[in-house]
Amino acid sequence: MKFTWFGQSTFIVEFGGKKLLFDPALSANPLAKDLNIEDLEADYILISHAHGDHVADLEKVVDRTKATLISNYEIVSYYGAKGYNGHPMNHGGKWTFDFGTVKYVNAVHSSLFPDGTNGGNPGGFVVWGEEGCFYFAGDTALTYDMKLIPLTCPKLDVALLPIGDNFTMGFEDATIASDFVECDKIIGCHFDSFPYIEIDHTKAKDAFSKKGKELILLGLGESITL
Ligand code: NI
Ligand code: MN
């Protein structure tokens, strides 16, 4: 499985022969101004919640790629009314797609569309298949619900966790989250895009290495194959 980061929470994960695009929102991120929306390829788009910094480029990308949306019922219904195809889920449910199995799991956050429409309750995704298993947490606080993931899903190979603080957990809480989900390899996201979420990279990496864990901070547009 190959992970490419486009800033904030936008990732393309190549998994099970498909391209899974998470939370496409380059145009909402001043740091990503040199990245090209045309580079966002997708067979599926997984949406954690309805905030602008997670959905800003979604319609443009679907218009070009015809990707299938995967999200909660409210978000899939919102885009369904605009003519976009999607697979609705809700918390605790899983479904096996042609690339692997997806479970929609809890996140402690909020989820309102930029136009004021209710975006349901925010979530994260655990995705697994023959290549392995990963957790995309979405925007969330540290929560005890994360302890359910190792009880209900295969062993995680990597967890994509927000670490920027203020709107989500910071890196200190994310180290505890990594314990709760029983994962020692973390890819950080949701940091540095705006002044409220700027972090000290060295301190963040040290916080994980003190626990014998690895925090991977990708550069914009950078990939890692695991
Ligand atoms: Ni958010
Ligand atoms: Mn966000």
Side-chain angles (χ1 to χ4, degrees):
M1 43 187 174
K2 181 178 177 186
F3 298 81
T4 306
W5 188 55
F6 294 86
Q8 196 68 343
S9 301
T10 306
F11 285 91
I12 292 175
V13 183
E14 294 171 45
F15 190 91
K18 302 291 180 188
K19 289 195 166 104
L20 315 182
L21 171 62
F22 290 81
D23 288 359
L26 304 191
S27 61
N29 180 1
L31 277 190
K33 63 182 188 310
D34 294 330
L35 298 179
N36 191 345
I37 295 172
E38 300 292 313
D39 291 335
L40 296 181
E41 298 174 340
D43 298 297
Y44 293 89
I45 302 180
L46 290 81
I47 309 143
S48 64
H49 67 295
H51 287 158
D53 59 319
H54 299 259
V55 301
D57 299 328
L58 188 142
E59 292 183 27
K60 267 187 201 159
V61 174
V62 184
D63 287 342
R64 176 170 46 80
T65 62
K66 310 298 177 204
T68 300
L69 309 182
I70 301 173
S71 190
N72 69 31
Y73 179 81
E74 289 80 5
I75 289 174
V76 168
S77 298
Y78 175 87
Y79 288 111
K82 297 179 177 221
Y84 298 112
N85 289 325
H87 180 107
M89 301 186 72
N90 220 325
H91 296 85
K94 65 180 183 302
W95 184 262
T96 298
F97 295 86
D98 56 357
F99 59 85
T101 299
V102 175
K103 185 164 188 170
Y104 190 64
V105 296
N106 203 22
V108 173
H109 193 66
S110 55
S111 180
L112 198 69
F113 278 100
D115 67 5
T117 305
N118 172 22
N121 290 313
F125 300 94
V126 183
V127 180
W128 67 87
E130 285 176 10
E131 286 164 83
C133 180
F134 69 93
Y135 169 44
F136 174 92
D139 282 9
T140 184
L142 174 64
T143 163
Y144 260 64
D145 285 349
M146 291 167 174
K147 292 191 170 200
L148 296 174
I149 288 173
L151 296 178
T152 58
C153 300
K155 169 94 183 116
L156 294 177
D157 295 298
V158 62
L160 283 52
L161 303 180
I163 57 171
D165 222 324
N166 193 73
F167 297 114
T168 66
M169 60 186 172
F171 61 80
E172 303 92 337
D173 286 7
T175 65
I176 300 169
S178 72
D179 289 340
F180 285 2
V181 300
E182 298 179 8
C183 188
D184 294 338
K185 192 181 287 287
I186 309 303
I187 299 176
C189 62
H190 214 275
F191 64 94
D192 283 359
S193 309
F194 326 112
Y196 283 134
I197 60 173
E198 281 174 9
I199 63 161
D200 182 321
H201 293 203
T202 305
K203 278 188 186 161
K205 286 185 176 182
D206 285 351
F208 282 88
S209 61
K210 272 183 200 148
K211 290 191 156 202
K213 294 169 183 267
E214 181 186 12
L215 173 66
I216 299 164
L217 299 180
L218 295 170
L220 291 166
E222 191 183 346
S223 299
I224 186 168
T225 300
L226 298 172

